[in-house]
Amino acid sequence: MKIYNTFTRKKEEFVPVTAGQVGIYVCGPTVYGMPHLGHAKSYINFDTVIRYFKYLGYKVKYVQNITDVGHLVGDGDDGEDKISKQAKKEKLDPYEIAYKYEVLYFENMDKLNVLRPSISCRATGFIIDMIEAVKQIIDKGYAYVTDKGNVYFDVRKYKAYGQLSNRTIDKTLSGERIEVADDKRNPEDFALWKSVDENTLMQWPSPWGQGCPGWHIECTVLSKKFLGKHFDIHGGGIDNLFPHHECECAQADIVNGCIPMNFFMHNNLVTVNGVKMGKSLGNFITLPDLFKKYSPMAVRYYINQFHYRSPVDFNDEGLKLAQKQFDKTNELVAKLRAIVDKQSNIVDEDLVAIKNNFESAMNDDFNTPVAMAEFIKLIKLLQNELKNQNTNRLEQINTLITKLGEEVLGYVFTQSGTSPVEDIPGDIKDLAQKRWNAKLAKDWAVADELRKEIEAKGYEIKDSKDNYQIIKK
Ligand SMILES: [Zn+2]
């Protein structure tokens, strides 16, 4: 099995630190706003990686942090804490904001059938460990304390800086607009500990005065705490490669005495209609909004058609097609499971080939587009086989759908054969039910009237043989 490693910019053979086990750390969300498209892509990508390791029989320990302190607006060392800023906006305190959005994050990930991590850890729960790590970095001569009570990592002392992002310090300086705090020795130094004013709610005592940790130190500390000094994979978004992951590596090298992760995996980002998504650009799409139009499984189906290292462009055309394809798949699986409920060993040559091709694709740096193509091939086969009703063959197909479609690709198939889109208003649901009843009673005129009424309210009805679906137009 080969995985693309950001350290070497190459696909490398995966050899676990401990045979049969995988330890993986993925940077979790900063909980200050609604989960959005970017979260869907990122965490589905890593969920599929974790699912595949489990499918292969590995014992997986998956650690994900919740950043509830220390992440400043602009990702640097100056500016307001993202959570405190949102707290003022919503007139709540920062702890309330963090918990509110943590709950929303998990609720939305559950809808996408993203498995919960083995360990979810909040940064605020491990301040003592972070202070210990900062002390060690100071003691080893790689950090300094300023008279303002800040602690900075001395980047020029650490010669390997840039090993992950391939940046030299000069490149960093010319490429980035760095706001330089006036107590830093050098502009590229980054905060390990920040002093805060007395009105800040999130603050803790430290040897350097009241303050809070810098953003990067949490991932260094939490990965070591739960996965040890040396583990298999660290994952995260390509937008965090620099400075976050570069700084994490530097700190970890000092604290652990080695670079802890064998592989650093980065997933690519999302665009909306070809444009970068951003709050200021007016194209920011939250998951609750997205799920009003498309079912979470259709979103997952869409994302799986792209490689995790490729960007995903969200547009209505693509998502509508994914919705259609997923619904069709769902309908066929429901029909299959109305006939067979057992699993069989895969022996038929064509089905063995699908399984092998699927696994080869996944073994090649989790190539989900190719794996999806094999899965689609399987569903086409199913469509034909439903006509023949050969039980053993259908049981084999059922087994592959369970293993490849559900276990690895993470789909949830419903018995009714439809995948509900959320938050359809009650009056629309009532009209749709009335229309369905009219249709069953062959009262075509009434059914037609009701369809028009529903359409006038902005919804469409899509019929399948024995069910219907409501879609927001
Ligand atoms: Zn992180």
Side-chain angles (χ1 to χ4, degrees):
M1 179 180 190
K2 285 199 155 72
I3 302 177
Y4 184 90
N5 194 350
T6 305
F7 280 116
T8 54
R9 304 284 195 279
K10 268 192 237 145
K11 286 183 200 171
E12 290 175 25
E13 191 62 35
F14 176 73
V15 182
V17 174
T18 308
Q21 297 185 20
V22 178
I24 174 166
Y25 183 94
V26 174
C27 290
T30 302
V31 280
Y32 72 105
M34 260 317 165
H36 51 73
L37 284 185
H39 294 116
K41 174 174 178 353
S42 206
Y43 297 112
I44 283 175
N45 284 162
F46 285 110
D47 185 53
T48 308
V49 166
I50 277 141
R51 284 171 173 279
Y52 189 60
F53 276 122
K54 287 186 174 171
Y55 167 90
L56 292 179
Y58 283 96
K59 187 171 186 291
V60 181
K61 193 179 194 184
Y62 176 21
V63 180
Q64 201 187 80
N65 63 313
I66 295 284
T67 298
D68 54 356
V69 70
H71 193 172
L72 305 185
V73 175
D75 294 351
D77 289 336
D78 292 285
E80 215 175 340
D81 184 284
K82 289 189 180 191
I83 289 160
S84 297
K85 190 180 173 194
Q86 188 66 19
K88 278 180 205 153
K89 221 163 133 189
E90 294 191 34
K91 297 196 169 52
L92 292 171
D93 81 42
Y95 288 101
E96 288 177 293
I97 288 293
Y99 189 61
K100 173 183 168 180
Y101 289 110
E102 178 186 323
V103 169
L104 281 161
Y105 164 73
F106 279 118
E107 278 177 8
N108 281 278
M109 290 302 124
D110 288 347
K111 285 175 185 166
L112 290 164
N113 202 24
V114 167
L115 300 172
R116 300 250 177 149
S118 327
I119 296 166
S120 164
C121 38
R122 294 184 195 130
T124 50
F126 300 90
I127 303 290
I128 293 170
D129 304 74
M130 292 186 218
I131 290 173
E132 279 310 307
V134 175
K135 272 194 215 162
Q136 282 180 38
I137 299 171
I138 297 170
D139 290 348
K140 288 181 180 170
Y142 288 90
Y144 56 92
V145 187
T146 73
D147 50 12
K148 286 187 178 172
N150 294 320
V151 183
Y152 292 108
F153 191 96
D154 192 344
V155 168
R156 280 171 198 261
K157 278 234 169 100
Y158 179 68
K159 299 297 173 212
Y161 193 77
Q163 61 200 326
L164 180 69
S165 60
N166 251 343
R167 290 177 188 230
T168 60
I169 289 172
D170 295 336
K171 229 164 85 196
T172 304
L173 290 179
S174 59
E176 301 283 315
R177 187 182 65 94
I178 294 184
E179 304 261 353
V180 183
D182 55 13
D183 60 339
K184 277 185 187 179
R185 279 186 199 159
N186 289 299
E188 62 276 10
D189 295 350
F190 58 89
L192 297 174
W193 186 264
K194 294 275 291 175
S195 69
V196 293
D197 69 56
E198 57 184 14
N199 297 321
T200 306
L201 189 64
M202 282 185 165
Q203 57 167 292
W204 294 264
S206 80
W208 321 288
Q210 291 292 120
C212 72
W215 173 32
H216 318 305
I217 193 75
E218 66 178 273
C219 291
T220 300
V221 165
L222 294 170
S223 59
K224 184 188 171 201
K225 179 135 194 130
F226 297 111
L227 295 171
K229 286 185 174 180
H230 188 205
F231 58 92
D232 297 296
I233 300 170
H234 190 311
I238 191 85
D239 54 334
N240 283 338
L241 169 56
F242 188 88
H244 184 54
H245 295 150
E246 189 68 59
C247 298
E248 245 194 273
C249 286
Q251 297 164 157
D253 198 1
I254 306 306
V255 174
N256 300 6
C258 64
I259 295 291
M261 61 296 277
N262 280 351
F263 285 81
F264 223 123
M265 289 176 69
H266 285 98
N267 69 292
N268 216 316
L269 308 177
V270 299
T271 53
V272 177
N273 296 311
V275 186
K276 190 181 171 224
M277 186 176 79
K279 276 189 177 145
S280 56
L281 298 168
N283 65 352
F284 191 81
I285 301 175
T286 67
L287 293 180
D289 277 345
L290 186 71
F291 296 160
K292 284 177 192 166
K293 264 179 124 174
Y294 306 104
S295 71
M297 283 305 110
V299 174
R300 187 163 187 132
Y301 190 93
Y302 185 64
I303 289 173
N304 278 341
Q305 293 184 57
F306 300 85
H307 193 266
Y308 75 89
R309 283 191 287 117
S310 306
V312 169
D313 185 54
F314 281 85
N315 53 72
D316 276 318
E317 210 181 318
L319 281 163
K320 267 188 189 158
L321 184 64
Q323 183 75 58
K324 214 172 126 187
Q325 289 168 328
F326 182 77
D327 288 342
K328 183 72 195 164
T329 305
N330 201 14
E331 201 184 308
L332 291 168
V333 173
K335 276 183 190 161
L336 166 73
R337 288 179 176 172
I339 303 168
V340 296
D341 58 0
K342 288 203 183 72
Q343 313 257 334
S344 271
N345 288 335
I346 311 298
V347 288
D348 291 357
E349 221 170 274
D350 56 341
L351 297 176
V352 171
I354 287 178
K355 182 171 178 281
N356 289 344
N357 293 341
F358 184 98
E359 288 174 3
S360 312
M362 292 300 284
N363 286 339
D364 180 20
D365 192 30
F366 308 99
N367 196 335
T368 57
V370 175
M372 273 294 285
E374 291 300 319
F375 179 70
I376 289 167
K377 216 189 266 176
L378 175 69
I379 297 302
K380 282 195 179 137
L381 256 171
L382 166 63
Q383 196 166 10
N384 282 328
E385 290 299 330
L386 281 170
K387 293 171 200 152
N388 303 331
Q389 305 252 340
N390 172 336
T391 309
N392 177 262
R393 186 119 168 107
L394 288 177
E395 281 175 357
Q396 290 186 52
I397 292 175
N398 190 34
T399 308
L400 278 185
I401 287 172
T402 302
K403 292 209 155 293
L404 312 184
E406 291 170 317
E407 279 178 28
V408 181
L409 296 171
Y411 301 132
V412 177
F413 299 113
T414 54
Q415 270 330 93
S416 66
T418 59
S419 69
V421 173
E422 285 187 31
D423 297 335
I424 303 287
D427 59 326
I428 304 290
K429 283 186 194 162
D430 290 346
L431 286 172
Q433 188 58 47
K434 273 187 203 158
R435 184 196 147 269
W436 182 249
N437 295 342
K439 200 183 147 183
L440 290 182
K442 298 195 179 353
D443 196 345
W444 309 118
V446 171
D448 216 38
E449 250 344 280
L450 286 165
R451 176 190 283 276
K452 278 181 198 152
E453 198 179 332
I454 291 162
E455 281 178 0
K457 293 189 179 210
Y459 293 85
E460 268 179 319
I461 301 289
K462 215 181 76 182
D463 288 335
S464 56
K465 205 176 127 217
D466 29 41
N467 217 326
Y468 65 91
Q469 199 189 346
I470 312 169
I471 298 165
K472 196 168 191 281
K473 278 206 276 191

